[in-house]
Amino acid sequence: QVQLVESGGGLVQAGGSLRLSCAASGRTFSTYAMGWFRQAPGKEREFVAAITRSGVNTYYGDSVKGRFTISRDNAKNTVYLQMNSLNSEDTAVYYCAADRADWDLRNAAEYDYWGQGTQVTVSS
């Protein structure tokens, strides 16, 4: 069992930055690939970014590529999402998720554990 707790969300002006964190419980964090997804009101959950167990490979959704950066610190059991150049379309609840497998990381159905989410609101 892995418990995930997101933090770092909030209200930011367009063009600003935020860094989300997701802290995982347990001693097996390094055996999970990690992902970030988001869901805006009335929209489906959207893939944002993912990182493999080792941190060597990262993947991004088209809408955030070049603006967001995912990273992880296996010693701290934490995954991060640095978000720059935010715009109103980035407003959503952001969720982190853990996946025992290290492939098909864009697919939300592949993930085994989810956090409760953190709200990000970008004002224009």
Side-chain angles (χ1 to χ4, degrees):
Q1 187 80 10
V2 175
Q3 292 186 327
L4 303 172
V5 179
E6 302 98 336
S7 61
L11 176 64
V12 62
Q13 288 188 332
S17 298
L18 279 176
R19 187 175 83 154
L20 304 183
S21 300
C22 174
S25 64
R27 301 180 180 179
T28 59
F29 178 72
S30 63
T31 67
Y32 290 87
M34 299 298 295
W36 286 96
F37 291 78
R38 66 187 183 186
Q39 190 164 19
K43 295 188 177 181
E44 293 187 353
R45 190 164 294 192
E46 175 189 14
F47 169 74
V48 175
I51 188 166
T52 53
R53 296 166 184 157
S54 65
V56 169
N57 294 311
T58 58
Y59 308 92
Y60 296 93
D62 290 341
S63 62
V64 307
K65 201 172 295 183
R67 300 187 298 124
F68 291 11
T69 303
I70 189 171
S71 61
R72 67 188 297 161
D73 185 337
N74 285 345
K76 295 183 177 179
N77 283 11
T78 302
V79 62
Y80 304 96
L81 185 68
Q82 177 66 43
M83 306 187 295
N84 298 329
S85 302
L86 287 161
N87 59 63
S88 58
E89 295 189 351
D90 297 315
T91 294
V93 177
Y94 284 71
Y95 300 89
C96 75
D99 184 358
R100 292 190 189 93
D102 221 16
W103 58 84
D104 199 15
L105 296 179
R106 297 174 184 270
N107 184 358
E110 292 294 317
Y111 287 79
D112 303 287
Y113 301 102
W114 291 82
Q116 293 298 307
T118 185
Q119 176 71 47
V120 171
T121 303
V122 183
S123 63
S124 56

